[in-house]
Amino acid sequence: MKFINGPTTIPALRTLMILGAFGLFSFLSFLGMLFFRSSKMLHSAVDVFEVFCILFFLENMIGHLTLHHFFDDTKKLILHTPPCCCCLRCLPLARSSSRNVERIRTCLHVVVVIWVVLESIRIIRTMECQYDVDSSAAALTNILMMIVFFCAMWGLIIIYRSGHDILHRYNYTIKIPRLQRDGLYRKSSSTRF
């Protein structure tokens, strides 16, 4: 039991789930091609798992920064970062305290809850045969999901840019753009305007 509750087990499980996401996405997409009626439900399952992977990614980043005692009042969090606020240079720099990082973490948890609720509504409407991809309700749901995705990416990039010197050792410089690109590709391919 000591192995399961060890300090390195939880980050290792998070990393395993993130790495296993690609195989799971491929498998569920394959099942969606075989069983066409269930493709919307499988797509929703992939979306929910994707947002949990984003959450696990943030938790791993915060864990690496905590190991190096990063969160003190001397460093700053840069709030005017892409994809949401890159043009808003008027936003102030926030202190990199554990309280501010906890606020970002809480906001990302709220984003996960909103995402799961939106996907649940989509699944329920699909099961009730009321989900039409050309309806205004479906377009509104897709737009809300894009906004939620951008907010999740914004939180990740705020943490990443503030701790770039430390996170560069763990290859987050490569991982963040890939996560953004894959997420934007998945969202844009599933969204019809």
Side-chain angles (χ1 to χ4, degrees), residues 172-191:
Y172 281 100
T173 308
I174 299 169
K175 296 172 187 171
I176 293 279
R178 284 185 184 169
L179 186 66
Q180 285 180 324
R181 184 194 63 217
D182 295 343
L184 284 175
Y185 176 74
R186 285 193 29 72
K187 298 296 168 255
S188 63
S189 67
S190 68
T191 305

Side-chain angles (χ1 to χ4, degrees), residues 7-35:
T8 60
T9 304
I10 300 299
L13 287 175
R14 287 186 199 134
T15 304
L16 184 65
M17 290 183 73
I18 291 170
L19 292 175
F22 299 111
L24 181 71
F25 293 172
S26 300
F27 179 70
L28 291 179
S29 297
F30 178 71
L31 285 180
M33 289 189 306
L34 288 178
F35 307 106

Side-chain angles (χ1 to χ4, degrees), residues 1-189:
M1 214 47 172
K2 185 177 180 183
F3 173 72
I4 293 176
N5 294 328
T8 60
T9 304
I10 300 299
L13 287 175
R14 287 186 199 134
T15 304
L16 184 65
M17 290 183 73
I18 291 170
L19 292 175
F22 299 111
L24 181 71
F25 293 172
S26 300
F27 179 70
L28 291 179
S29 297
F30 178 71
L31 285 180
M33 289 189 306
L34 288 178
F35 307 106
F36 185 70
R37 288 186 175 181
S38 65
S39 65
K40 287 185 175 129
M41 188 174 70
L42 292 171
H43 180 74
S44 295
V46 166
D47 278 346
V48 168
F49 191 78
E50 181 182 20
V51 77
F52 278 105
C53 285
I54 291 172
L55 180 68
F56 294 153
F57 198 76
L58 175 80
E59 294 294 330
N60 281 348
M61 279 183 11
I62 291 175
H64 286 135
L65 290 173
T66 305
L67 283 175
H68 295 281
H69 306 290
F70 176 75
F71 303 117
D72 57 3
D73 292 337
T74 60
K75 301 197 178 49
K76 300 290 184 185
L77 295 174
I78 303 167
L79 298 180
H80 52 83
T81 60
C84 295
C85 298
C86 56
C87 298
L88 298 175
R89 295 285 177 188
C90 60
L91 289 175
L93 296 176
R95 289 180 299 139
S96 178
S97 63
S98 59
R99 183 176 180 184
N100 285 338
V101 173
E102 193 60 37
R103 286 178 182 160
I104 292 173
R105 180 186 277 169
T106 303
C107 288
L108 201 59
H109 284 263
V110 170
V111 162
V112 168
V113 169
I114 291 171
W115 194 303
V116 171
V117 166
L118 287 172
E119 283 296 335
S120 300
I121 290 171
R122 183 185 285 179
I123 290 173
I124 290 169
R125 288 182 56 102
T126 301
M127 294 301 162
E128 294 291 323
C129 298
Q130 296 176 357
Y131 187 78
D132 181 21
V133 293
D134 296 326
S135 69
S136 60
L140 179 66
T141 304
N142 289 337
I143 289 171
L144 287 174
M145 301 249 338
M146 287 290 283
I147 291 170
V148 166
F149 175 75
F150 280 131
C151 290
M153 284 291 113
W154 186 45
L156 279 176
I157 291 174
I158 288 172
I159 297 292
Y160 169 72
R161 285 186 68 181
S162 63
H164 175 72
D165 298 336
I166 297 170
L167 294 174
H168 185 68
R169 297 181 220 163
Y170 298 103
N171 291 328
Y172 281 100
T173 308
I174 299 169
K175 296 172 187 171
I176 293 279
R178 284 185 184 169
L179 186 66
Q180 285 180 324
R181 184 194 63 217
D182 295 343
L184 284 175
Y185 176 74
R186 285 193 29 72
K187 298 296 168 255
S188 63
S189 67

